[in-house]
Amino acid sequence: FFFKQKTAYEIKECDWSSDVCSSDLYESVVRALAARGHEVRLLADEKETFGGQALVERLAQDCPTVSWGWTPPIPEEPWFPVAQKLRFALDYVRYLAPRYADVEKLRLRNIDRTPRVVRWLTSGPGAWLVGPRRVQAALTRLERLLPESAAMTALLEAERPDVVLLTSLTFSRSLAMDQLKAARRLGVPTAACILSWDHLSSKALVHIAPDRTLVWNAVQRDEAVSMHGLPESSVVVTGAQCYDQWFDRRPERSKDMFCRAIGLDPERPVVLYVCSAMSPVPDPVEPVFVKQWIEALRAHPDSRLRTAGVLVRPHPERIREWAGVSLDGLDNVVVHGRTPIDSDAKADYFDSLYYSSAVVGLCTSVFLEAAIVGR
C-alpha cells in the first residue's frame, strides 16, 4: 500500500493470477480505507484469468477514491536479469540450512534456476571450502549493490505516497523487492503484507527488511524473526483479514434450493471435497485420487456414506487436470464451483461449506473457512 493520510493509499497487487489473489484477500481493507476517506491505488505486475482484474474494476466503480493500474516494466531494465538470478540463488541457499534438512521439495523447487557456481559452492567440495552461510552473505551484499529501478522510482516520485504496502514480497518471481528498494531510496515507509499461512516458511526470503511486516499470528511473527532475520519490533500481528467475511455470513438460500441448483439430492447429507493447488503437481493428479476416494465412499458399509451427496470443487488453477477423469456413473456426485471473487461466487462458495456435513481435502486453506463455519 502507498499511504497518504486521508489522501492516498496505494496497494501493490503483484500478480492477480497467483494461487492466492491478493486483490481478493485485501478487498475488505481497501473498502475500509476508502470509506475513511483515503485514496487507494491498486497496481499489478501481470495480467490474469481468475477474476482479480474484474474485482479491482468493481472496487474502483464502487469507491470513488479507489483506482487501479499497472507497474512499470522493471524486467526491461538492464540489471534485472542479474538481480533475478541472485534472488533465485538466495532462495536456494536458504533451504540448505539444517532446519530444512527434511524438506527436499523446497530445495528441488529452486535448484534448476540457481546458477551452477552457487550450487558448487554450497555442495560437495565447494561446501567444505566455502559453505552456504558465506555464499548467502555474499549474495545478499551483491543484491543490495544493484541499482534501484529507475522506472519504479519515477512512478513513486509522481505518486508521492506516504506508505507502500507490498503483498507479494515473499514471491520469488515478483517485482516487490525492486519496489521496496525504490521506496527506501525515496524515504517512503514500507510494509510487507503476508498473504497466507505458509508464505514465511516456504516462499522467498525477505532479505531486505521493510519498515513493518504484517502477519496473521504469533507463529508467523516468530517465523519472520527466526527465518528471515526481521527485527521483532517491526513485525505486527493483525490477524487474517481475508477470513473476517465468513464469521457473520448466513446462507442466501435454503439447502433444498442450493442442492437442486447444483444437482444434488437435498434429502441426503453432503460431503464437500475441496481440491488443492499443490506444487509440484502430484502424480497421479488429484482428480484421479478424488474418483478413487468417491468409489471407496460408495463401497462403505455405512449407508449414509454410500448415498451421501458429494460436491467436488476443483481448484481454478487445475481445471485442465480433469481432462480424461470422469465422474459419470457415480450417483449423487457433482463437480461445481468457481473462484469466490464476485458476490454470486462467494455466496455459492459459502453455501457449499454451510450445507456440507464434512469437508475433505489434502492441503488447502479452505479448511480455515470450514473451521469458521463449524464443519
Side-chain angles (χ1 to χ4, degrees), residues 146-166:
L146 291 174
E148 294 84 8
S149 164
M152 193 66 205
T153 301
L155 183 146
L156 292 177
E157 287 176 330
E159 294 283 353
R160 300 180 61 83
D162 289 314
V163 173
V164 176
L165 299 189
L166 304 161

Side-chain angles (χ1 to χ4, degrees), residues 19-42:
D19 59 335
V20 179
C21 182
S22 49
S23 51
D24 178 35
L25 295 180
Y26 289 102
E27 178 184 0
S28 63
V29 178
V30 174
R31 291 186 181 277
L33 293 173
R36 296 178 185 182
H38 301 299
E39 182 184 336
V40 185
R41 180 124 177 98
L42 302 162

Side-chain angles (χ1 to χ4, degrees), residues 254-307:
S254 66
K255 181 184 177 183
D256 185 84
M257 293 175 63
F258 169 70
C259 288
R260 294 188 187 283
I262 64 174
L264 291 178
D265 183 351
E267 301 300 322
R268 299 288 183 178
V270 175
V271 179
L272 172 63
Y273 187 98
V274 285
C275 294
S276 308
M278 296 172 288
S279 178
V281 178
D283 184 16
V285 293
E286 189 173 10
V288 174
F289 167 76
V290 173
K291 184 175 183 179
Q292 294 172 345
W293 171 77
I294 296 174
E295 290 170 343
L297 208 64
R298 290 295 181 251
H300 198 277
D302 190 321
S303 61
R304 292 173 299 175
L305 291 178
R306 285 200 309 273
T307 60

Side-chain angles (χ1 to χ4, degrees), residues 327-369:
L327 302 183
D328 293 344
L330 295 170
D331 183 51
N332 206 20
V333 174
V334 65
V335 178
H336 172 82
R338 55 192 178 94
T339 310
I341 289 183
D342 61 61
S343 58
D344 290 341
K346 283 185 177 181
D348 191 74
Y349 175 61
F350 179 80
D351 288 352
S352 71
L353 289 168
Y354 189 87
Y355 290 121
S356 64
S357 297
V359 178
V360 181
L362 298 180
C363 181
T364 170
S365 58
V366 178
F367 291 150
L368 298 175
E369 285 120 334

